[in-house]
Amino acid sequence: HASLNWEVTLEEMMTQYGAVPDHYAIVRSDTKAVLDVVGKGYNPFQNREAAELTDALVGEKIAMYETAGAIDGGKRIWIQCKVPGQFRVPGTTADELEFYTTLTNSHGVNALRLFGTNNRIECQNTLNMALKGVGSQGMTIRHTGSLKAKVAEARASLGIIGRRVEEFKEEVAVLARTEISDKQP
């Protein structure tokens, strides 16, 4: 439903003088658009593989699919799953908060990321907000070496999601207990 059923291939780069050594164009299979240029050793991580990784979350009933999509012609994709349960900021009548686990994959120079956030992603802006909010937390998988081994490691580390939810709840509770005055900047 998210129109992510396409793959990327690595194509040799050519000029009128011949091949460009150790550089490849990442080409989207359905549109033939060049998404980026990468060097030797880059291993593409297909959208199907990203879905298989998030399927592990859904299959274990850790989360349920929420949103997915592609940005910038497919240069970056995301798949987001909602973690079951909601919580309210302690001591307030604020709206209930939800938590999501998100996988982003760049068909290019950025690594695959798996992280938890309370931002529901629908577009580039909300993706940027979520990425800024998590900083370096979560799991990062570079597009080099054995991707299969890294995916196996990611599946084994799915417990990070539950821990991040609990950390987030504690951070919110600390903020809710912190008193501030009108004179604080």
Side-chain angles (χ1 to χ4, degrees), residues 50-184:
E52 288 170 2
L53 182 55
T54 53
D55 281 348
L57 296 170
V58 173
E60 294 179 22
K61 304 214 181 333
I62 295 172
M64 297 302 294
Y65 282 107
E66 182 75 13
T67 67
I71 298 168
D72 201 10
K75 288 183 181 180
R76 175 172 275 177
I77 64 113
W78 83 88
I79 301 172
Q80 188 169 57
C81 299
K82 183 180 177 294
V83 176
Q86 299 173 323
F87 68 99
R88 191 177 308 276
V89 176
T92 72
T93 58
D95 291 338
E96 290 185 332
L97 299 174
E98 297 180 331
F99 202 80
Y100 305 93
T101 184
T102 304
L103 180 145
T104 64
N105 184 38
S106 166
H107 293 298
V109 296
N110 293 322
L112 179 141
R113 298 269 319 268
L114 181 63
F115 59 91
T117 180
N118 66 318
N119 292 74
R120 186 176 188 274
I121 298 171
E122 298 178 14
C123 64
Q124 180 73 57
N125 290 339
T126 52
L127 176 59
N128 289 344
M129 284 175 37
L131 287 168
K132 183 178 180 184
V134 298
S136 62
Q137 294 178 12
M139 175 172 275
T140 300
I141 300 175
R142 297 191 61 202
H143 290 269
T144 57
S146 170
L147 287 176
K148 289 186 184 206
K150 292 175 184 178
V151 169
E153 177 188 334
R155 284 194 174 121
S157 300
L158 291 178
I160 63 172
I161 295 162
R163 286 192 303 275
R164 180 61 190 130
V165 170
E166 292 308 312
E167 289 170 4
F168 179 72
K169 287 180 180 179
E170 181 57 31
E171 290 166 4
V172 168
V174 168
L175 289 173
R177 291 190 303 263
T178 303
E179 292 187 32
I180 60 171
S181 70
D182 292 340
K183 295 179 182 181
Q184 287 178 302

Side-chain angles (χ1 to χ4, degrees), residues 7-8 12 20 157 167 173 183:
E7 294 193 350
V8 294
E12 187 175 67
V20 178
S157 300
E167 289 170 4
K183 295 179 182 181

